Amino acid sequence: MAGDSVSFDKFDKFVQRVTAGIPDRTETIEQKERAIEAKKKILKHPSCPEKSKPVLKQEISVLEDEINSIKKEQREQSMNSSIFPKRNDLG
């Protein structure tokens, strides 16, 4: 149907606009947070295909897990670094 292709065209342009500037592979917490925000906007769009929603939700979940892992790693690094050098003489 012609109306469907116009609707999909608008949705496709919306997705391109929302994801502009977000790399395919995110590395930093900031990039991951921007990708999550974009995916949530896409999910809320009325033309978002139903079959895409579980995939988007899974991608958001993976990104959130990655953010939590990075934050945990950063906490552990800050806890392991100390102003005092490690002691090697345990005697």
Side-chain angles (χ1 to χ4, degrees):
M1 298 188 149
D4 289 344
S5 66
V6 170
S7 175
F8 183 75
D9 226 22
K10 286 183 179 182
F11 176 69
D12 191 41
K13 287 179 182 176
F14 169 78
V15 170
Q16 289 176 10
R17 189 175 66 247
V18 169
T19 59
I22 299 173
D24 290 336
R25 297 183 56 91
T26 58
E27 296 186 21
T28 66
I29 290 175
E30 293 79 19
Q31 288 174 338
K32 292 178 188 303
E33 287 173 340
R34 285 185 24 230
I36 289 170
E37 189 66 31
K39 290 176 188 302
K40 286 182 178 179
K41 286 180 183 178
I42 293 167
L43 270 173
K44 290 180 184 177
H45 194 281
S47 296
C48 181
E50 285 299 318
K51 65 182 181 185
S52 298
K53 290 181 180 184
V55 174
L56 288 166
K57 289 177 183 178
Q58 178 62 32
E59 290 173 353
I60 290 168
S61 178
V62 167
L63 288 167
E64 289 172 339
D65 289 346
E66 290 174 356
I67 289 171
N68 289 332
S69 292
I70 291 170
K71 287 181 178 180
K72 180 181 177 191
E73 189 176 305
Q74 288 174 344
R75 278 193 304 274
E76 287 175 0
Q77 284 178 348
S78 69
M79 289 174 66
N80 290 336
S81 65
S82 173
I83 58 170
F84 302 106
K86 291 185 179 181
R87 290 184 52 179
N88 292 329
D89 60 339
L90 300 176

